[in-house]
Amino acid sequence: DTGVSQNPRHKITKRGQNVTFRCDPISEHNRLYWYRQTLGQGPEFLTYFQNEAQLEKSRLLSDRFSAERPKGSFSTLEIQRTEQGDSAMYLCASSSMGVTNSPLHFGNGTRLTVT
Amino acid sequence: GQQLNQSPQSMFIQEGEDVSMNCTSSSIFNTWLWYKQDPGEGPVLLIALYKAGELTSNGRLTAQFGITRKDSFLNISASIPSDVGIYFCAGPREYGGSQGNLIFGKGTKLSVKP
């Protein structure tokens, strides 16, 4: 069990560019979550996958954001036409559907800075 | 909507001191979770509480699920330097969605007294 892995750890981009982040969950976990965390705040839920199906999306996930989990394993989060307000830490978490009250295991995040 | 209010926002600790922080809400939560986040890392689950009145310990940490289901506290006994970090309370959003769709408080930041 190597934990939840996120890449890259840091990303600096210019406003208007597209960025993509990757998350590799714990291998036996079929539930995957994306959260966003801004400075001085707790994480905020963005979206949830059960296997390859995207079952929940927050209103925070504007139409510039898209997430995929094509084979039910790793996931990608893409932000198109980035804005300065997108600067944040993007956290991925996973859990197991087969375990009651399975806790979320978070990765160490991708810190995005939009200049 | 549901919100979690944590207090204090920040506190300074001296090694060996006991620490207490709490989390309140105007809404009922059926699960209370306490996470710790170190700089540059993701949150790590410390304690999970599933039943009103439940008191659970994890080493030097003790947390309680309030009887009203609207509050929880976390105590750290005999603090050590590695306790420094940000502590978050969290609970599942109540509308019946995924248990992993969590609401987090804004955190209590623990620092070492200069």
Side-chain angles (χ1 to χ4, degrees):
Chain A
D1 177 1
T2 56
V4 177
S5 176
Q6 293 189 245
N7 289 288
R9 289 298 311 274
H10 303 274
K11 179 72 178 177
I12 300 174
T13 192
K14 291 186 178 177
R15 191 175 53 185
Q17 297 294 303
N18 299 343
V19 293
T20 301
F21 313 139
R22 176 176 169 129
C23 171
D24 287 90
I26 293 171
S27 58
E28 62 268 26
H29 285 182
N30 46 14
R31 289 178 166 170
L32 186 147
Y33 303 83
W34 284 99
Y35 278 77
R36 182 180 74 181
Q37 185 177 24
T38 53
L39 205 59
Q41 304 292 318
E44 296 172 293
F45 171 83
L46 291 178
T47 190
Y48 156 57
F49 288 85
Q50 184 169 298
N51 299 311
E52 65 277 7
Q54 188 173 18
L55 298 185
E56 287 182 57
K57 284 199 273 189
S58 160
R59 59 180 170 76
L60 292 175
L61 212 69
S62 78
D63 56 7
R64 295 184 298 105
F65 287 68
S66 63
E68 293 184 344
R69 194 183 183 199
K71 296 180 180 177
S73 56
F74 74 90
S75 175
T76 57
L77 177 68
E78 181 183 15
I79 309 175
Q80 294 182 326
R81 305 181 303 281
T82 51
E83 301 173 356
Q84 287 187 321
D86 297 331
S87 295
M89 174 81 87
Y90 290 84
L91 292 162
C92 177
S94 68
S95 69
S96 173
M97 188 171 68
V99 176
T100 303
N101 294 324
S102 175
L104 263 59
H105 296 262
F106 283 89
N108 286 332
T110 293
R111 179 166 295 285
L112 173 67
T113 303
V114 181
T115 62
Chain B
Q2 289 178 292
Q3 278 189 323
L4 291 173
N5 303 304
Q6 290 190 245
S7 65
Q9 279 188 311
S10 63
M11 56 196 308
F12 287 90
I13 58 172
Q14 204 150 45
E15 189 170 351
E17 284 181 340
D18 294 344
V19 171
S20 185
M21 62 190 78
N22 66 24
C23 187
T24 61
S25 174
S26 57
S27 310
I28 286 174
F29 279 82
N30 291 315
T31 298
W32 288 88
L33 306 168
W34 286 94
Y35 283 86
K36 179 178 183 248
Q37 187 173 30
D38 292 328
E41 298 186 9
V44 174
L45 182 66
L46 299 174
I47 292 181
L49 301 159
Y50 301 108
K51 191 176 173 183
E54 181 180 354
L55 184 73
T56 296
S57 292
N58 178 7
R60 295 176 297 105
L61 277 60
T62 302
Q64 183 154 32
F65 189 145
I67 286 290
T68 64
R69 298 187 181 183
K70 292 183 177 181
D71 62 349
S72 175
F73 71 73
L74 176 70
N75 286 344
I76 306 173
S77 62
S79 58
I80 60 178
S82 62
D83 290 333
V84 161
I86 304 178
Y87 292 78
F88 292 99
C89 61
R93 207 171 294 272
E94 69 176 353
Y95 66 97
S98 161
Q99 279 281 313
N101 183 340
L102 300 176
I103 296 171
F104 281 79
K106 292 187 177 183
T108 291
K109 184 176 181 181
L110 245 59
S111 305
V112 176
K113 271 183 190 169

